[in-house]
Amino acid sequence: MKEALVQPDISVQIVDSPIPIPETNQIIIKVTYSGSNPKDWKGPSHRTEDGFNSGDDIAGTVHAVGDKVYEFKPGDRVAAFHEMGAPGGSFAEYAVAWQHTTFHIPEHVTFAEAATIPLAAMTSAIGLYLRLGIPKPWSANKPTEKQPFLVYGAASAIGAYAIQFARLSGLHPIIGVAGRGIPFAESLIDKSKGDAIIDYRNGNEAIVTGIKDALKAAGCEGIPLKYSYDGTVKDDSQKNIVAVMGPNGSNANRVGIPGASFSARTVDYPKGMTDSITYVGDVHNDDKDFGFLWFRYFARLLEDGRLKPHPYEEIAGGLNGVSEGLKNLQAGKNSGLKYVFNIADTEGIEKNVIEGAEDASAALQAATTAGFRV
């Protein structure tokens, strides 16, 4: 199969690799579309060794399953969150996912749409429900009165999913902070309930004033801003969050990348204000049960239309377009959209199917001999 290895300079080397064979609880997915995320270039740029497949958003059809996989079978339309840093990433013809981080794609959702969901939506779900502890959408404790919620990076994928989840949980007014993506962010909110989007391009003082004015206009005087979710994690975002949140029982969450300064706290939080970090990779470690439940809940929400996939732009060339997409992310060219790659558009894939038939047959034979279903 063809596989894209991202180099430290964000160039990409297309190599021939064997089709993976699933472990007991793993699924091999024939990738139709791969999504991308900022960490896909940030990770390789901090590594000294030759490149690796950093893609983690998978959408495609099940190719083979391990002997303890009971929810999925070959041919199923699925999306999945690949284990970050592990072999078998999504920048390839075939990718590896664990059963608990895989979910069925409803028929009306396209593969390209599904590729925008796994990592970003799970990052938001962990932040809101595990770290901030807001009421779940099905909870009897959903707020019946105003409960403001602040989202920094409202037009980003994780920010947009955070807004969708907050609305499902009954939080209003939702105050988002965005820039070029304001028109998209405004499509996610309900202005009739006091929701508003603040333009960060007007500077920090205007942001703080804008948030306070929006809360006042929504009738939240005397109601503490209890929850904030920071998907940008910059010095300015953290300072502004502290400036608008009260110290008495408020909860601030920020997105993190293990081992990276991106997740560092850069300001002093007042006494009584709790801060936490969201690492999406926790669903492959301590939070496996949470991941299992919520990936399946994503399928339900998609099926009945309560969860909308993120807007996307398809970069031409399949795997040959990965470098362009990641460099666009590095340069901050995207706004309110995710880059996705149609793997079938990769130059040489059809030729590789023929020339690699012997390797593919060997992989399938080995999987069958080991008791895996293909």
Side-chain angles (χ1 to χ4, degrees), residues 95-263:
V96 179
W98 292 98
Q99 176 173 219
H100 76 280
T101 59
T102 302
F103 61 97
H104 291 282
I105 303 173
E107 287 300 322
H108 69 274
V109 177
T110 68
F111 287 119
E113 290 173 326
T116 72
I117 295 167
L119 184 147
M122 182 53 64
T123 303
S124 298
I126 292 173
L128 269 63
Y129 298 108
L130 271 183
R131 306 296 177 246
L132 291 177
I134 72 170
K136 298 174 180 62
W138 59 84
S139 173
N141 297 321
K142 290 168 61 174
T144 56
E145 299 179 350
K146 291 182 175 65
Q147 178 57 75
F149 178 61
L150 174 64
V151 181
Y152 236 96
S156 68
I158 56 174
Y161 286 125
I163 290 174
Q164 292 194 61
F165 292 142
R167 291 189 61 174
L168 288 173
S169 291
L171 270 59
H172 289 286
I174 298 170
I175 311 300
V177 179
R180 286 176 296 152
I182 284 178
F184 166 63
E186 288 185 331
S187 74
L188 301 170
I189 62 174
D190 185 349
K191 292 185 178 181
S192 71
K193 294 187 177 181
D195 298 352
I197 303 297
I198 308 302
D199 193 335
Y200 72 77
R201 294 170 295 183
N202 293 327
N204 292 331
E205 184 177 344
I207 293 170
V208 172
T209 300
I211 293 171
K212 291 180 177 179
D213 287 347
L215 291 170
K216 183 177 180 180
C220 289
E221 288 185 288
I223 301 174
L225 176 57
K226 186 176 180 181
Y227 303 112
S228 72
Y229 185 79
D230 186 0
T232 62
V233 195
K234 298 177 180 177
D235 289 353
D236 288 348
S237 66
Q238 293 187 57
K239 290 176 183 176
N240 295 338
I241 287 169
V242 169
V244 297
M245 294 191 76
N248 298 318
S250 58
N251 299 274
N253 180 260
R254 62 190 185 279
V255 177
I257 298 176
S261 59
F262 177 77
S263 61

Side-chain angles (χ1 to χ4, degrees), residues 43-57:
S45 71
H46 289 90
R47 294 169 72 119
T48 56
E49 69 269 27
D50 210 10
F52 77 108
N53 180 347
S54 59
D56 295 317
D57 278 333

